[in-house]
Amino acid sequence: MSTLAEKYISFKEKRPRRKELYKALLALVIPIGIQNLLSALVNSVDIFMIGCVGQDELSAVSLANQYMFILWGFFFGISSAATLMNAQYWGKGDRKAIQAIFGIAFKVALVVTTLVSLGCIFLPHALMELYTDDQVLVDIGVDYLRTIGISYFIMTFSQCYMCTLRSVEQAKKSTIISTITVFSNVALNAIFIFGIFGLPKMGVIGVALATIISRVIELVICLTDYFRGSIFKPDLKLFLGKHKQLTKDFFKYSGPALVNDLSWTLAFSTYSIILGHLNSDMVAASAVATTLRDLFTTFCFGISAGGTVILGKALGANNPQKAKEDSRIMCWVTIVTTAIMGIILVLIRHPLMSFFTLTDTAYGYLDTMMLISGYYIIGQTFNTLLIAGVFRSGGNTKFGMICDTITMWCVSVPLGFITAFALEWPPMVVYFVLCLDEFWKIPVVIKYYLSDKWLNNITRENVV
């Protein structure tokens, strides 16, 4: 009885703490989730609109957008390092350090986005042929890449700035900016693709042009907000300064995070190379399945992003026990929420599929892919929460780098090539094998989480 009484008292004592966590988590997860949802929706609308033009256009743009997908992986790694550092300095109350970290992230990102932009503009043919040998898809993708490549350079400042907003608990503002960008993109897509207001029908070029204009709008809003000083008083010397110690810390944490996220995105993009060399129906079905799956995981990934800020803030304030308790609640919330999303996804898959114009073969592939997605998202979001959220909140980026690199490049990618081209298994069996990637690493991830090695305060005194 005494044990039960102690547990009851402990439960009663923790209730206010849990309410406080739920309130803080919702304040971050809802805006970030909405922002993720909007990003996923605009991708869905792009896919839907391009699908109305034709399946070849849908497949070509899906493959061409693999370079944007890789770039997002890079941004995720940069933003992870910036967020984990910003969150801890936010808990410490050092705004100068936060502006300096923002500047470091921007300078690093600018170099990479410039290189990717130049590659897409001047080497689109070689880039498309890496993903498919179908000349029709290559020709469509080349025109798209030459145009869309400009947007990668434009988005550098805004992506780094919105990351900074989220890491200092101003996710609502970041969501508002994304909302404006998304609705601009959707409206412009409709105008340019279908030739509204007397304009010529531009097809895939219209999609790329709409993206460029919406990114310019996003950049103008972010620059305006920055110079208004909503987070900190703008200081270009601080923003563009060298800051040797902070830069050293940034690369210490961003290096493994970048390798981790690029390793994952490159491996996932390699899946598209495998599918792209099977048949165009698999490419189209996979593009739709990924798009719909992303819609159902937006809020779950928001828990990961919000968790980095909340846990990092606690660790920066020297409260590891609070961070540990909060992380356990986040794990259960993620599992339950994603399981519900997976069930809903499976139940309504046919109405969702009816929005896309595909061949009968592609529809058959897509139906099976949606069933696989129903359970795949559970492993995907759980691993993302721990690797990209919980572990990184304490500055631990090396574990995820090692875990994902071994899982993806030593297991999943080789199995994909072997089953597709050496054993020549049916396309859907190959897809099933590729979708085992998240489940190989779950036992190792859980073991590391329980070790508490991620509970670290990484802040320094007087860094700027």
Side-chain angles (χ1 to χ4, degrees):
M1 288 295 291
S2 60
T3 303
L4 289 174
E6 288 173 359
K7 288 183 178 179
Y8 177 74
I9 293 171
S10 176
F11 175 78
K12 292 281 284 183
E13 290 175 344
K14 290 179 179 179
R15 282 182 64 185
R17 170 74 209 102
R18 287 175 179 170
K19 288 182 179 179
E20 180 187 339
L21 169 63
Y22 292 143
K23 185 177 179 180
L25 194 58
L26 285 174
L28 285 168
V29 170
I30 291 178
I32 293 173
I34 292 173
Q35 186 175 348
N36 291 343
L37 179 61
L38 288 170
S39 297
L41 277 173
V42 74
N43 184 47
S44 301
V45 172
D46 283 351
I47 293 295
F48 173 71
M49 289 179 172
I50 296 168
C52 291
V53 176
Q55 182 171 306
D56 284 339
E57 285 77 7
L58 187 153
S59 299
V61 171
S62 172
L63 292 175
N65 272 337
Q66 290 303 308
Y67 294 100
M68 182 67 247
F69 178 65
I70 293 170
L71 197 56
W72 277 122
F74 166 78
F75 271 120
F76 194 77
I78 286 288
S79 65
S80 291
T83 299
L84 71 89
M85 292 179 71
N86 283 338
Q88 293 211 10
Y89 280 107
W90 182 245
K92 192 185 180 82
D94 190 342
R95 295 196 177 205
K96 287 186 176 181
I98 293 171
Q99 185 168 188
I101 293 166
F102 167 40
I104 294 167
F106 169 73
K107 286 179 285 186
V108 174
L110 185 62
V111 173
V112 175
T113 54
T114 300
L115 291 174
V116 175
S117 291
L118 293 174
C120 290
I121 294 169
F122 295 107
L123 299 171
H125 217 280
L127 294 179
M128 279 303 299
E129 288 183 336
L130 181 63
Y131 282 93
T132 182
D133 53 8
D134 187 320
Q135 197 57 46
V136 174
L137 301 187
V138 170
D139 291 341
I140 296 171
V142 163
D143 292 337
Y144 178 79
L145 276 178
R146 278 181 179 149
T147 309
I148 197 70
I150 301 170
S151 70
Y152 302 157
F153 171 79
I154 297 172
M155 65 190 286
T156 309
F157 181 90
S158 56
Q159 291 304 308
C160 293
Y161 185 69
M162 288 193 289
C163 160
T164 304
L165 285 173
R166 292 191 295 269
S167 64
V168 297
E169 300 180 286
Q170 290 196 30
K172 289 182 181 179
K173 184 175 290 185
S174 175
T175 301
I176 292 171
I177 296 171
S178 290
T179 302
I180 295 171
T181 306
V182 165
F183 280 104
S184 299
N185 196 12
V186 172
L188 291 167
N189 270 342
I191 293 170
F192 294 143
I193 294 175
F194 302 116
I196 301 175
F197 302 129
L199 292 173
K201 293 182 179 180
M202 300 182 189
V204 297
I205 299 299
V207 176
L209 186 58
T211 301
I212 292 172
I213 296 174
S214 63
R215 290 300 181 192
V216 170
I217 294 171
E218 179 184 69
L219 175 60
V220 170
I221 296 172
C222 288
L223 283 170
T224 302
D225 193 68
Y226 170 68
F227 283 109
R228 281 180 179 173
S230 64
I231 308 177
F232 32 59
K233 183 180 179 181
D235 186 337
L236 292 180
K237 288 184 179 180
L238 191 61
F239 176 65
L240 299 174
K242 294 183 178 180
H243 312 298
K244 292 183 179 179
Q245 186 59 62
L246 272 179
T247 301
K248 183 178 179 181
D249 286 346
F250 183 84
F251 280 105
K252 175 181 177 181
Y253 301 117
S254 69
L258 277 172
V259 173
N260 183 183
D261 295 328
L262 284 175
S263 174
W264 186 89
T265 52
L266 285 170
F268 212 86
S269 185
T270 303
Y271 295 175
S272 295
I273 294 177
I274 295 171
L275 299 178
H277 284 82
L278 292 177
N279 59 67
S280 62
D281 288 320
M282 281 294 289
V283 174
S286 178
V288 174
T290 302
T291 299
L292 295 176
R293 190 169 67 210
D294 288 345
L295 288 174
F296 280 78
T297 55
T298 51
F299 282 93
C300 299
F301 286 134
I303 297 174
S304 170
T308 302
V309 177
I310 292 172
L311 302 180
K313 185 178 178 181
L315 292 170
N318 286 317
N319 196 341
Q321 187 59 36
K322 178 176 178 290
K324 185 176 179 179
E325 291 173 2
D326 289 352
S327 70
R328 289 176 179 173
I329 296 173
M330 291 176 190
C331 286
W332 285 113
V333 170
T334 298
I335 292 171
V336 172
T337 304
T338 313
I340 294 172
M341 290 295 101
I343 293 170
I344 295 173
L345 177 61
V346 170
L347 292 177
I348 67 171
R349 69 186 187 281
H350 290 141
L352 291 174
M353 289 164 55
S354 67
F355 284 100
F356 300 90
T357 304
L358 303 173
T359 65
D360 290 340
T361 302
Y363 272 125
Y365 289 152
L366 179 57
D367 190 41
T368 305
M369 288 177 180
M370 296 300 287
L371 292 174
I372 292 173
S373 295
Y375 64 82
Y376 180 82
I377 62 175
I378 299 175
Q380 183 184 27
T381 54
F382 181 73
N383 285 328
T384 300
L385 170 68
L386 290 179
I387 293 175
V390 175
F391 299 163
R392 291 185 183 181
S393 69
N396 193 313
T397 54
K398 290 183 180 179
F399 173 83
M401 175 189 70
I402 296 170
C403 182
D404 277 336
T405 300
I406 292 175
T407 301
M408 302 298 279
W409 291 102
C410 297
V411 181
S412 293
V413 170
L415 283 177
F417 277 106
I418 291 170
T419 54
F421 306 119
L423 301 178
E424 296 184 347
W425 285 359
M428 281 314 307
V429 177
V430 175
Y431 185 83
F432 170 76
V433 170
L434 292 174
C435 287
L436 291 174
D437 56 356
E438 294 291 347
F439 298 94
W440 302 122
K441 58 191 176 188
I442 284 179
V444 181
V445 171
I446 292 176
K447 182 179 179 181
Y448 188 81
Y449 168 71
L450 295 175
S451 72
D452 294 339
K453 293 179 180 179
W454 55 274
L455 293 164
N456 304 299
N457 182 340
I458 63 169
T459 62
R460 297 178 186 273
E461 299 292 336
N462 303 317
V463 288
V464 292

